[in-house]
Amino acid sequence: MGRTAIVTGGTRGLGKAIALALREAGHQVAANYLYDEEEAHAFQREHGIAVYRWDVSDFAACCEGVARVEAELGPVGVLVNNAGITADAMFHKMSEEQWWSVIQTNLGSMFAMTRPVIEGMRARGFGRIVNISSINARKGQAGQCNYAAAKAGIIGFTKSLALENAARNVTVNAVAPGYCDTPMVAAMRPDVLAAITAGIPAGRMGASADIARTVVFLADEAAGFITGATFDVNGGQYLA
Ligand code: CAA
């Protein structure tokens, strides 16, 4: 049965692949975005998926955004907390702005986006929440103290929320992608990226579809007994 699904950061990178795969699986998808209006509207025209602009680090904006989606597409059954940013720097060179912007967007959004949907999911007795963490939450990464802290925080959030909601058929899981073929990874310094990807046992970077497939699986009605788990999808680069 198709549900209304929100994918944050859903018009590019991993989020775009997740939005397309959820639609393919029969869901009504709302793709949230913030930065690139033109790109988002091109995505909507090309794929017929509704796009909605708001900042996932802003609680009031998330409440309004969720209300708009629910008025237009119906109650939210699936939430994919995917939106995230990087502001990489060695910690001894990191600014306060680099620290807080990443914590607020990547971890603060867990509260801001999930709080407006959780009561409805509990009341209806159905919900599938999938939070996008990272390989670097598991293993750490020089240059990413802010990002790794936020992404590791997501795993603690996922486990706790899963315990609170298991009895209401609301599952909460995390996916921890490795280095994938996305604009975020493409923005890395080529020499640093080459050194990291040389260590992937699968012999390639991940494809967005590798992550999307996992999210669709977890969002399925039949995945109701899987909750509080973190799925590593990283080509064997780190085994938690
Ligand atoms: N471990 C330990 N020390 C390291 C290191 C490492 N891996 N890499 C560099 N250093 C040291 C260097 O030796 C150097 O030491 P000295 O100052 O004593 O000479 C110091 O750190 C500075 O190194 P750089 O000159 O390379 O520093 P920089 O300021 O030019 O660059 C950086 C820093 C931008 C953070 C760069 O190191 C980098 O890009 N790191 C990779 C970060 C990364 O993996 N980002 C992932 C983005 S994609 C993503 O996040 C998606 C996902 O979920 C996977």
CSV table of all heavy atoms in Angstrom, one decimal, residues 86 88-90 93 134-136 141-144 147 177-179 184-185 188-189 192 196, ligand 1:
chain,number,residue,atom,x,y,z
A,86,THR,N,28.1,19.1,4.8
A,86,THR,CA,29.5,19.0,5.4
A,86,THR,C,30.1,20.4,5.5
A,86,THR,O,29.8,21.3,4.7
A,86,THR,CB,30.4,18.1,4.5
A,86,THR,OG1,30.4,18.7,3.1
A,86,THR,CG2,30.0,16.7,4.4
A,88,ASP,N,33.9,20.4,6.3
A,88,ASP,CA,35.1,19.6,6.7
A,88,ASP,C,36.2,20.6,7.1
A,88,ASP,O,36.5,21.5,6.3
A,88,ASP,CB,35.5,18.7,5.6
A,88,ASP,CG,34.5,17.5,5.4
A,88,ASP,OD1,33.5,17.4,6.1
A,88,ASP,OD2,34.8,16.8,4.4
A,89,ALA,N,36.9,20.3,8.1
A,89,ALA,CA,38.1,21.0,8.5
A,89,ALA,C,38.7,20.2,9.7
A,89,ALA,O,38.0,19.5,10.4
A,89,ALA,CB,37.8,22.4,9.0
A,90,MET,N,40.1,20.2,9.8
A,90,MET,CA,40.7,19.6,10.9
A,90,MET,C,40.2,20.3,12.2
A,90,MET,O,40.0,21.6,12.1
A,90,MET,CB,42.2,19.7,10.8
A,90,MET,CG,42.8,19.0,9.6
A,90,MET,SD,42.5,17.2,9.4
A,90,MET,CE,43.8,16.6,10.5
A,93,LYS,N,41.4,23.6,13.3
A,93,LYS,CA,41.2,24.8,12.4
A,93,LYS,C,39.7,25.0,12.3
A,93,LYS,O,39.3,25.9,11.5
A,93,LYS,CB,41.7,24.5,11.0
A,93,LYS,CG,43.2,24.3,11.0
A,93,LYS,CD,43.6,24.0,9.5
A,93,LYS,CE,45.1,23.6,9.4
A,93,LYS,NZ,45.4,23.1,8.0
A,134,SER,N,26.0,7.8,8.5
A,134,SER,CA,27.2,7.7,7.6
A,134,SER,C,28.2,6.7,8.1
A,134,SER,O,28.3,6.5,9.4
A,134,SER,CB,27.9,9.1,7.6
A,134,SER,OG,29.2,9.0,7.1
A,135,ILE,N,29.0,6.2,7.2
A,135,ILE,CA,30.2,5.3,7.6
A,135,ILE,C,31.0,6.1,8.7
A,135,ILE,O,31.6,5.5,9.6
A,135,ILE,CB,31.0,4.9,6.4
A,135,ILE,CG1,32.1,4.0,6.8
A,135,ILE,CG2,31.6,6.2,5.7
A,135,ILE,CD1,32.9,3.4,5.6
A,136,ASN,N,31.1,7.4,8.5
A,136,ASN,CA,32.0,8.1,9.4
A,136,ASN,C,31.5,8.3,10.8
A,136,ASN,O,32.2,8.7,11.7
A,136,ASN,CB,32.4,9.5,8.7
A,136,ASN,CG,33.2,9.2,7.5
A,136,ASN,OD1,33.8,8.1,7.4
A,136,ASN,ND2,33.3,10.1,6.6
A,141,GLN,N,36.4,10.1,11.1
A,141,GLN,CA,37.1,10.5,9.9
A,141,GLN,C,37.8,11.8,10.2
A,141,GLN,O,37.2,12.8,10.6
A,141,GLN,CB,36.1,10.7,8.8
A,141,GLN,CG,36.7,11.4,7.5
A,141,GLN,CD,37.9,10.5,6.9
A,141,GLN,OE1,37.7,9.3,6.7
A,141,GLN,NE2,39.0,11.2,6.6
A,142,ALA,N,39.2,11.9,10.0
A,142,ALA,CA,39.9,13.1,10.2
A,142,ALA,C,39.3,14.2,9.3
A,142,ALA,O,39.0,13.9,8.1
A,142,ALA,CB,41.4,12.9,9.8
A,143,GLY,N,39.0,15.3,9.8
A,143,GLY,CA,38.4,16.4,9.1
A,143,GLY,C,36.9,16.5,9.3
A,143,GLY,O,36.3,17.4,8.7
A,144,GLN,N,36.4,15.6,10.1
A,144,GLN,CA,34.9,15.5,10.2
A,144,GLN,C,34.4,15.4,11.6
A,144,GLN,O,33.5,14.6,11.9
A,144,GLN,CB,34.3,14.4,9.3
A,144,GLN,CG,34.4,14.7,7.8
A,144,GLN,CD,33.3,13.9,7.1
A,144,GLN,OE1,33.2,12.7,7.2
A,144,GLN,NE2,32.5,14.6,6.3
A,147,TYR,N,30.7,16.5,11.6
A,147,TYR,CA,29.9,15.6,10.8
A,147,TYR,C,29.7,14.2,11.5
A,147,TYR,O,28.6,13.7,11.6
A,147,TYR,CB,30.5,15.5,9.4
A,147,TYR,CG,29.7,14.7,8.4
A,147,TYR,CD1,28.7,15.3,7.7
A,147,TYR,CD2,29.9,13.3,8.2
A,147,TYR,CE1,28.0,14.6,6.7
A,147,TYR,CE2,29.2,12.6,7.2
A,147,TYR,CZ,28.2,13.3,6.5
A,147,TYR,OH,27.5,12.6,5.5
A,177,PRO,N,25.6,5.1,4.9
A,177,PRO,CA,26.2,4.9,3.6
A,177,PRO,C,27.7,5.1,3.7
A,177,PRO,O,28.2,6.0,4.5
A,177,PRO,CB,25.6,6.0,2.8
A,177,PRO,CG,24.4,6.5,3.5
A,177,PRO,CD,24.7,6.3,4.9
A,178,GLY,N,28.4,4.4,2.9
A,178,GLY,CA,29.8,4.7,2.7
A,178,GLY,C,30.0,5.8,1.6
A,178,GLY,O,29.0,6.6,1.4
A,179,TYR,N,31.2,5.9,1.0
A,179,TYR,CA,31.4,6.9,0.0
A,179,TYR,C,30.7,6.6,-1.3
A,179,TYR,O,30.9,5.5,-1.8
A,179,TYR,CB,32.9,7.1,-0.2
A,179,TYR,CG,33.6,7.8,1.0
A,179,TYR,CD1,33.8,7.1,2.2
A,179,TYR,CD2,33.9,9.2,0.9
A,179,TYR,CE1,34.4,7.8,3.3
A,179,TYR,CE2,34.5,9.8,2.0
A,179,TYR,CZ,34.7,9.1,3.2
A,179,TYR,OH,35.3,9.8,4.2
A,184,MET,N,28.1,15.6,-2.9
A,184,MET,CA,28.8,15.9,-1.6
A,184,MET,C,30.2,15.3,-1.6
A,184,MET,O,31.2,15.9,-1.3
A,184,MET,CB,28.0,15.3,-0.4
A,184,MET,CG,28.6,15.5,0.9
A,184,MET,SD,27.7,14.8,2.2
A,184,MET,CE,26.5,16.1,2.7
A,185,VAL,N,30.2,14.0,-2.1
A,185,VAL,CA,31.5,13.3,-2.2
A,185,VAL,C,32.4,13.9,-3.3
A,185,VAL,O,33.6,14.1,-3.2
A,185,VAL,CB,31.3,11.8,-2.3
A,185,VAL,CG1,32.6,11.1,-2.7
A,185,VAL,CG2,30.7,11.2,-1.0
A,188,MET,N,34.9,16.7,-2.6
A,188,MET,CA,36.1,16.5,-1.8
A,188,MET,C,37.3,16.7,-2.6
A,188,MET,O,37.3,16.7,-3.8
A,188,MET,CB,36.1,15.0,-1.3
A,188,MET,CG,35.1,14.7,-0.2
A,188,MET,SD,35.2,13.0,0.3
A,188,MET,CE,36.8,12.8,0.9
A,189,ARG,N,38.4,17.0,-1.9
A,189,ARG,CA,39.7,17.2,-2.6
A,189,ARG,C,40.0,15.9,-3.3
A,189,ARG,O,40.0,14.8,-2.6
A,189,ARG,CB,40.8,17.5,-1.5
A,189,ARG,CG,41.5,18.8,-1.9
A,189,ARG,CD,42.4,19.2,-0.7
A,189,ARG,NE,43.4,18.2,-0.4
A,189,ARG,CZ,44.2,18.2,0.7
A,189,ARG,NH1,44.0,19.2,1.6
A,189,ARG,NH2,45.1,17.3,0.9
A,192,VAL,N,42.5,13.4,-1.6
A,192,VAL,CA,42.0,12.8,-0.4
A,192,VAL,C,40.9,11.7,-0.7
A,192,VAL,O,40.9,10.6,-0.2
A,192,VAL,CB,41.4,13.9,0.5
A,192,VAL,CG1,40.8,13.3,1.8
A,192,VAL,CG2,42.4,14.9,0.9
A,196,ILE,N,40.9,7.6,0.0
A,196,ILE,CA,39.9,6.9,0.8
A,196,ILE,C,39.2,5.8,-0.1
A,196,ILE,O,39.0,4.7,0.4
A,196,ILE,CB,38.8,7.9,1.2
A,196,ILE,CG1,39.4,8.8,2.3
A,196,ILE,CG2,37.6,7.2,1.8
A,196,ILE,CD1,38.5,9.9,2.8
B,1,CAA,N1,44.6,11.4,9.6
B,1,CAA,C1,45.4,12.1,10.5
B,1,CAA,N2,45.9,13.3,10.1
B,1,CAA,C2,45.7,13.8,8.9
B,1,CAA,C3,44.8,13.1,8.0
B,1,CAA,C4,44.3,11.8,8.4
B,1,CAA,N3,43.5,11.1,7.6
B,1,CAA,N4,44.8,13.8,6.8
B,1,CAA,C5,45.5,14.9,7.0
B,1,CAA,N5,46.1,14.9,8.2
B,1,CAA,C6,47.0,15.9,8.8
B,1,CAA,C7,48.1,16.3,7.8
B,1,CAA,O1,49.2,15.4,7.9
B,1,CAA,C8,48.4,17.7,8.3
B,1,CAA,O2,49.2,17.6,9.4
B,1,CAA,P1,50.3,18.8,9.7
B,1,CAA,O3,49.4,20.1,9.8
B,1,CAA,O4,51.0,18.4,10.9
B,1,CAA,O5,51.2,18.9,8.5
B,1,CAA,C9,47.1,18.2,8.8
B,1,CAA,O6,46.3,17.0,9.1
B,1,CAA,C10,46.4,19.0,7.8
B,1,CAA,O7,46.2,18.3,6.6
B,1,CAA,P2,45.7,19.0,5.2
B,1,CAA,O8,46.8,19.9,4.7
B,1,CAA,O9,45.2,17.9,4.2
B,1,CAA,O10,44.6,19.8,5.8
B,1,CAA,P3,43.6,20.7,5.0
B,1,CAA,O11,43.2,21.7,6.0
B,1,CAA,O12,44.1,21.1,3.6
B,1,CAA,O13,42.4,19.7,4.6
B,1,CAA,C11,40.4,18.4,5.1
B,1,CAA,C12,41.6,19.2,5.7
B,1,CAA,C13,39.7,19.4,4.1
B,1,CAA,C14,39.5,18.1,6.2
B,1,CAA,C15,40.9,17.2,4.3
B,1,CAA,O14,41.8,16.5,5.1
B,1,CAA,C16,39.8,16.3,3.9
B,1,CAA,O15,39.1,16.6,2.9
B,1,CAA,N6,39.5,15.2,4.6
B,1,CAA,C17,38.5,14.2,4.3
B,1,CAA,C18,37.2,14.5,4.9
B,1,CAA,C19,36.2,13.5,4.4
B,1,CAA,O16,36.4,12.3,4.4
B,1,CAA,N7,35.0,14.1,4.1
B,1,CAA,C20,33.9,13.3,3.6
B,1,CAA,C21,33.0,14.1,2.8
B,1,CAA,S1,31.7,13.2,2.0
B,1,CAA,C22,30.7,12.7,3.3
B,1,CAA,O17,30.8,13.2,4.4
B,1,CAA,C23,29.7,11.7,3.0
B,1,CAA,C24,29.8,10.5,3.9
B,1,CAA,O18,29.0,10.3,4.7
B,1,CAA,C25,30.9,9.6,3.6
